[in-house]
Amino acid sequence: MQLQGKQLIGSSLSAEGKESFQSLNPATGEKMPTQFIHATKDELEKACELARKAFAVYRKKSGAEKAAFLEKIAEEIENTGDVLVQTACAETGLPAGRIQGERGRTTGQLRLFAQLLREGSWVNARIETALPDRQPLPRTDIRMMDRPLGPVGVFGASNFPLAFSVAGGDTASALAAGCPVIVKAHSAHPGTSELVGTAIQKAAASSGMPEGVFSMLHGSGSVIGAALVQHPAIKAIGFTGSYQGGMALFHLAANRREPIPVYAEMGSTNPVFILPGIMKEKGNEIAQQFAASVTLGVGQFCTNPGMLVAENTDSYPDFVSSLESNFRNASGGVMLTKGIQSAYQKGVAHHLEDTEVSILAEGKASEGFSAVKPVLFHTKAQAIADNAALSEEIFGPASVVVEAENKAALLHMAAQLEGHLTATVHGNPDELEAYADLIELLEQKVGRLIINGFPTGVEVCHAMMHGGPFPASSDSRSTSVGTAAIYRFTRPVSYQNFPEPLLPDELKTANPLNIWRLLNGEFQKA
Ligand code: NAP
């Protein structure tokens, strides 16, 4: 299939801009053949106007209609076949198996949202029936449910070209909520974005969705991305990427005449605490799994653990030497972009500027235009306390072993951590109880706590929380993975004293959709 390099605006293709760019193969450094045209402000205006109009229709689509649309998107993505896999591999340097797995995750999450919509109870319907005889004042009938916010701007992530990009979690959750989506495609994988965007366009047409329910624009983040965030038709933003990018969008959104929420997932070091007993019992196994988790996907997951914290590691030389040998045997690989490679190298160099930091082990060098090798650092808990930059994420296969003198030093260090997506504690049953204070502390720092496991591998499900206190995310109250992500793009509306025919089906007394509702304080379907 010949890529077009154009904007997808509603059901049309558009290329009014004069500037263009080509993506690079990060393994070879070669330019990909297609010229992608930067969107103009006029094209952005068209996409936003179509989205605004589409919202009036799309917000009223039933759960079953939206579910069929999401399922059709999944089907159309599957129909892209090998071309999608080949294009994504060439643009990202990720292996075919990873892209195939990610495609399954992407279609799976679309279908999971479809199930949620068909079941219907996600709308949080609450009904308080009238109490006309209540003393001293009667109570009127009040009903409440979640309604869609309006058109959403989505910034595709570089590190998940499918699952966090054009038809990824942000788009799936916004469409499920009833919000049209305009995607600012990531400049690192525009061809992959076009293939997936075209699949959504086809699904929208064949499912009878209003034109403008989806559009996708190419171009620079600071030009077309910024204009998207500032456009009055846009009511929320979903973003995964760097702290600098996320915060730039957050400030733009906050300074609008009508400020809007920005759900930016910006990075995390995901500390892993190893307690002394388990280190003695299972040190080798944990060291091996830790090295695998750090280097998985060339360390380009937001959940790779960038920090291992343990007490008095000198007492456990076997554990440390096992960590070192696992890192020495680990391979690096090609990073997603030259920019990400250079940010990794700068991060490694920056850590080494601190005289309290040393290198414990380096992994194997790899071939390729933007290749890197794994690095394992060592430092003391006090050094982290003195230099907060040491606990910041180095995006890539690097991690730092932090040695605490004793439990008090470990707790002190944990108390100073900023927000992260996850924290992990390895311990045997007795010591996990003895370290309940650590776990309680960590609960205040992260969105997901893990016992005796590793943070990589984020399940897409109803109970997943993928987000965390700042600076991991710009809003710790919501997740960007799993079906609870839908609530980022809704707002509650109360209907007071409404005549029955005017109520949405979800709130009608007879409960025609047979959903769970909080009726006078009790969950029921009656
Ligand atoms: P990025 O630079 O934050 O870019 C992500 C998206 O936001 C791109 O579409 C980019 O546009 C746009 N953008 C960036 N800065 C912007 C600004 N000031 N105003 C408006 N839009 C802006 O992320 P990246 O390119 O994927 O990777 C760079 C670094 O981000 C990595 O080295 C890593 O540290 C971090 N990262 C973190 C995660 C995570 O899981 N949290 C994931 C990926 C990357 P352009 O197309 O113009 O670049």
Side-chain angles (χ1 to χ4, degrees):
M1 183 193 156
Q2 182 76 33
L3 292 171
Q4 302 291 314
K6 298 179 179 176
Q7 324 313 322
L8 310 182
I9 300 181
S11 56
S12 313
L13 294 180
S14 175
E16 293 174 2
K18 301 229 174 325
E19 289 173 72
S20 66
F21 68 100
Q22 288 161 275
S23 53
L24 284 187
N25 181 323
T28 62
E30 283 167 22
K31 281 187 177 169
M32 305 288 286
T34 310
Q35 294 281 348
F36 288 86
I37 313 290
H38 285 247
T40 63
K41 294 275 171 72
D42 279 353
E43 287 173 318
L44 170 75
E45 192 58 46
K46 275 184 208 151
C48 288
E49 186 52 22
L50 277 177
R52 202 181 57 72
K53 284 191 185 140
F55 181 54
V57 179
Y58 188 61
R59 65 189 292 277
K60 288 190 256 173
K61 293 285 180 192
S62 68
E65 287 170 312
K66 287 185 290 178
F69 175 35
L70 296 184
E71 285 162 347
K72 195 73 193 161
I73 296 174
E75 201 184 307
E76 290 291 355
I77 290 173
E78 283 160 356
N79 289 344
T80 56
D82 289 345
V83 181
L84 180 64
V85 177
Q86 286 153 7
T87 308
C89 290
E91 288 187 326
T92 63
L94 295 169
R98 155 73 196 274
I99 295 293
Q100 279 152 353
E102 203 181 311
R103 178 165 60 183
R105 181 188 171 107
T106 308
T107 54
Q109 88 193 343
L110 286 159
R111 292 186 171 117
L112 188 67
F113 275 108
Q115 273 174 29
L116 183 84
L117 296 176
R118 286 218 161 84
E119 196 283 330
S121 307
W122 72 273
V123 297
N124 279 334
R126 291 159 176 252
I127 299 176
E128 300 279 294
T129 48
L131 298 173
D133 300 327
R134 189 180 69 173
Q135 292 300 328
L137 288 172
R139 181 176 83 185
T140 187
D141 184 286
I142 301 198
R143 303 177 185 217
M144 180 171 102
M145 66 178 278
D146 285 335
R147 303 295 290 149
L149 265 186
V152 171
V154 168
F155 286 72
S158 59
N159 59 338
F160 276 94
L162 300 175
F164 274 89
S165 201
V166 177
D170 289 343
T171 298
S173 51
L175 290 177
C179 302
V181 168
I182 300 178
V183 170
K184 200 305 253 174
H186 199 289
S187 313
H189 57 260
T192 310
S193 300
E194 180 179 316
L195 291 168
V196 175
T198 306
I200 303 179
Q201 255 188 344
K202 282 186 193 164
S206 63
S207 315
M209 293 297 147
E211 188 182 12
V213 71
F214 172 80
S215 291
M216 188 187 84
L217 306 170
H218 295 289
S220 142
S222 51
V223 180
I224 211 69
L228 175 65
V229 175
Q230 289 171 309
H231 197 283
I234 298 298
K235 301 301 177 193
I237 297 293
F239 168 94
T240 302
S242 64
Y243 173 81
Q244 292 74 14
M247 289 312 290
L249 302 186
F250 179 85
H251 289 303
L252 283 173
N255 288 321
R256 288 169 39 133
R257 185 176 171 281
E258 177 197 359
I260 55 168
V262 172
Y263 298 102
E265 198 247 283
M266 302 181 287
S268 173
T269 308
N270 306 303
V272 173
F273 292 78
I274 318 279
L275 304 183
I278 198 113
M279 193 184 287
K280 214 180 285 174
E281 293 160 28
K282 292 190 175 169
N284 280 345
E285 196 183 315
I286 293 173
Q288 187 191 358
Q289 291 168 346
F290 179 78
S293 185
V294 172
T295 54
L296 188 71
V298 202
Q300 299 172 115
F301 294 115
C302 31
T303 49
N304 297 98
M307 185 185 285
L308 183 152
V309 191
E311 283 170 47
N312 197 9
T313 46
D314 282 350
S315 314
Y316 306 97
D318 287 353
F319 174 72
V320 177
S321 66
S322 179
L323 262 182
E324 287 172 9
S325 73
N326 276 295
F327 262 82
R328 272 197 294 274
N329 289 327
S331 300
V334 168
M335 296 202 86
L336 292 156
T337 66
K338 198 72 184 159
I340 291 179
Q341 179 210 40
S342 98
Y344 176 75
Q345 286 163 340
K346 270 189 207 142
V348 169
H350 200 244
H351 264 40
L352 289 172
E353 281 167 16
D354 191 309
T355 52
E356 295 297 317
V357 176
S358 58
I359 289 187
L360 271 182
E362 285 185 277
K364 294 181 190 159
S366 309
E367 295 289 310
F369 177 62
S370 61
V372 294
K373 60 182 172 185
V375 181
L376 183 66
F377 299 104
H378 174 270
T379 196
K380 302 256 185 201
Q382 190 55 46
I384 299 271
D386 294 342
N387 180 5
L390 293 179
S391 60
E392 286 171 12
E393 179 186 30
I394 300 178
F395 190 72
S399 198
V400 51
V401 174
V402 180
E403 187 180 342
E405 275 169 26
N406 48 37
K407 183 180 175 191
L410 182 129
L411 288 176
H412 179 67
M413 200 227 106
Q416 288 174 321
L417 287 173
E418 291 194 290
H420 293 276
L421 294 172
T422 73
T424 302
V425 181
H426 283 261
N428 61 39
D430 289 343
E431 63 189 350
L432 285 173
E433 272 187 41
Y435 280 75
D437 41 4
L438 171 66
I439 294 170
E440 200 178 318
L441 233 170
L442 294 175
E443 194 209 65
Q444 298 164 59
K445 306 282 183 182
V446 304
R448 179 162 58 107
L449 284 164
I450 300 144
I451 299 288
N452 293 336
F454 287 91
T456 36
V458 183
E459 185 72 26
V460 181
C461 65
H462 303 298
M464 179 49 69
M465 171 62 198
H466 188 71
F470 184 84
S473 333
S474 57
D475 190 328
S476 64
R477 295 166 299 174
S478 65
T479 177
S480 61
V481 175
T483 54
I486 199 169
Y487 298 112
R488 296 173 303 162
F489 305 123
T490 61
R491 65 187 179 87
V493 176
S494 283
Y495 302 81
Q496 186 166 331
N497 200 28
F498 257 50
E500 194 70 17
L502 288 187
L503 282 167
D505 283 352
E506 289 86 344
L507 296 177
K508 287 196 163 95
T509 302
N511 196 9
L513 300 176
N514 195 31
I515 59 175
W516 286 99
R517 311 189 294 185
L518 191 65
L519 179 61
N520 295 324
E522 274 183 34
F523 280 106
Q524 50 182 276
K525 283 195 170 182

